[in-house]
Amino acid sequence: MKQIITLLLLSVSILAYSQAKSSAKSEVILNELNKKEVIDSLTKKLEEFYIRPNSIEGIKKNLNENYEKGVYKNIVSPNEFASKLTTDLLEITKDLHFGVIYDPQILENKQNNNAVESQKRIKEQELIVAKRKNFGFQQARILEGNIGYLEFNYFHDPAEASETAASMMQFLSNSDALIIDLRNNNGGALEMGQFISSYFFANKDLPLYKYYYYESGRKKIDREMWLLPSVPGKRLDTIDIYILTSGATFSAAEWMSYSLQNLKRVTIVGEQTAGGAHPVDWKVLTQGFSLHIPFGEVKDPITKTDFEGHGVTPDVLCKSENAINTAHFLALQKLSIKNKDLSNNMDWIIPVIKNRQKPVIIESSILKSYQGKYGKGELIYENQNLYYQWNNAVSFLLSPLQQDLFLLDGDDFRIKIIFEKKSIIGIKRIYPDGVERMYPKQ
């Protein structure tokens, strides 16, 4: 059952889609009887499916007390009532996977004789949207020092997204280290975590997750998810892996981070994650409402526990906005210990990373003072930028790395302003191999 191992944040797209559809219908006005029926229906689903049976009575008590106290009395909009129930469930349970929506179409589809065709059309539309989003994969690129970088924002089912995921992994397969950016990843299908994680091991006989789910108050299934025996293309089992996290990293994204951390396969850099570990499913309530309910539990085979409610703790704590540069530095430092050639090249790379984290700003008056001819080259100030023109032909934008050091597009060489007694006497072309060429100012 695919839903068993699907972990999702309260999906903004699903909620927005449902609310847009329901608002397009004629406005429904809730009365007190309607609200009580929804609460009773909700608590019944808790008794049937909620993963924490010992908490159910407390949830029922709180919701019914709210009803008796008139907390919901002035709410007549179904969407507003759904939103309030969601807020209350999150407050009572501290379980971030809970959510209530109003969408009568879900119930209609369940009851409709053409439900299969309707679901097929919905799946087709979802696939179109997923393809437009490249199944969540935002970018794959090579950072300075041959460090791979992969960013993706949700875990799509690999039954549909494996080719895209595999192409990303193959693009990065010659990297000397890999950074995986999950800072904006809200979760999804845990199978995608399994698929990507399988690239990072030569030993395929390792369990990643143990899971089970509840139905009618009883444990219904107890299984393990292991590394896949094969993956398309080359494995990245010998390089260091770094995962970037933030407070928005959630659910399946947390599970991949947590599992690989416990297997000592990754270094996590960034912030404590959100803390949503439970598998979830949508259950239809009465009156057109539906409940997003945690109905299963996943455990790590090594720790025998999870991160529900407290999140995954990074190995290197830092602000999420600094995580990519921090991980980049760590990767280069570790590689430089193994590779002397890279160690000699660190001075070339480090200023670029530092500038990316905190860009150097040079006053316009200083940039203007750098103008002039230097051999066959010329520095030109234009539109608040400095350009290097060679032989009155090709022109390059200069980006400051330091007050007197500039990066060219393409980075084949850099331009350094040379001073003598505070006066500019020339420029140097500086190359990655350490070669320098001086061009006196004319």
Side-chain angles (χ1 to χ4, degrees), residues 419-431:
F419 294 86
E420 187 176 284
K421 296 180 180 179
K422 298 185 178 180
S423 296
I424 300 172
I425 62 169
I427 62 172
K428 280 184 179 180
R429 281 190 182 186
I430 302 175
Y431 294 85

Side-chain angles (χ1 to χ4, degrees), residues 135-279:
F135 298 108
F137 290 94
Q138 300 298 300
Q139 58 174 312
R141 59 192 174 100
I142 306 299
L143 304 177
E144 294 82 4
N146 197 33
I147 309 300
Y149 173 82
L150 175 65
E151 179 189 10
F152 61 108
N153 291 348
Y154 68 91
F155 283 55
H156 197 89
D157 186 346
E160 296 173 336
S162 61
E163 288 186 8
T164 300
S167 68
M168 293 287 183
M169 299 307 294
Q170 290 317 294
F171 174 81
L172 299 163
S173 64
N174 294 314
S175 304
D176 292 323
L178 176 63
I179 297 171
I180 301 175
D181 194 343
L182 301 181
R183 288 176 294 178
N184 295 310
N185 194 306
N186 297 148
L190 200 54
E191 291 91 342
M192 180 56 81
Q194 177 193 32
F195 183 80
I196 292 176
S197 296
S198 298
Y199 277 93
F200 305 145
F201 296 88
N203 176 14
K204 308 168 190 66
D205 296 326
L206 288 173
L208 292 172
Y209 322 108
K210 297 184 69 173
Y211 63 92
Y212 61 87
Y213 75 96
Y214 265 79
E215 188 174 308
S216 300
R218 294 183 293 112
K219 187 186 288 188
K220 296 289 288 186
I221 196 168
D222 200 341
R223 293 178 181 168
E224 290 186 348
M225 186 182 290
W226 291 57
L227 291 170
L228 297 173
S230 65
V231 289
K234 178 182 174 183
R235 290 179 184 264
L236 288 75
D237 56 293
T238 61
I239 66 173
D240 294 318
I241 311 292
Y242 301 82
I243 291 180
L244 311 184
T245 61
S246 75
T249 305
F250 191 69
S251 206
E254 294 178 276
W255 265 115
M256 190 175 93
S257 304
Y258 186 65
S259 171
L260 293 176
Q261 183 186 55
N262 292 327
L263 287 168
K264 311 297 183 186
R265 187 61 187 92
V266 301
T267 300
I268 300 178
V269 180
E271 298 172 345
Q272 192 87 5
T273 63
H278 293 157

Side-chain angles (χ1 to χ4, degrees), residues 30-40 43 59-75 81 84-85 88 92:
L30 294 178
N31 58 39
E32 293 306 294
L33 179 59
N34 296 148
K35 296 174 208 174
K36 186 64 170 70
E37 287 176 346
V38 172
I39 292 172
D40 290 344
T43 56
I59 302 171
K60 289 171 61 176
K61 180 182 177 183
N62 274 274
L63 292 178
N64 283 307
E65 283 181 354
N66 285 350
Y67 177 80
E68 295 296 335
K69 291 177 182 177
V71 171
Y72 310 123
K73 185 174 182 179
N74 295 324
I75 299 175
F81 187 49
K84 176 58 177 170
L85 287 176
D88 290 347
I92 295 165

Side-chain angles (χ1 to χ4, degrees), residues 6 8 11-12 53-54 58 116 122 136 157 182 199 205 222 236-237 239 257 260 283 305 331 362 381 416 419:
T6 297
L8 292 169
S11 171
V12 174
N54 294 335
V116 174
I122 291 171
D157 186 346
L182 301 181
Y199 277 93
D205 296 326
D222 200 341
L236 288 75
D237 56 293
I239 66 173
S257 304
L260 293 176
K283 299 299 179 183
T305 186
I362 301 178
Y381 179 81
K416 185 173 179 64
F419 294 86

Side-chain angles (χ1 to χ4, degrees), residues 85-101:
L85 287 176
T86 297
T87 300
D88 290 347
L89 284 169
L90 295 176
E91 178 64 29
I92 295 165
T93 67
K94 311 301 181 186
D95 194 321
L96 300 178
H97 277 112
F98 267 116
V100 180
I101 67 165

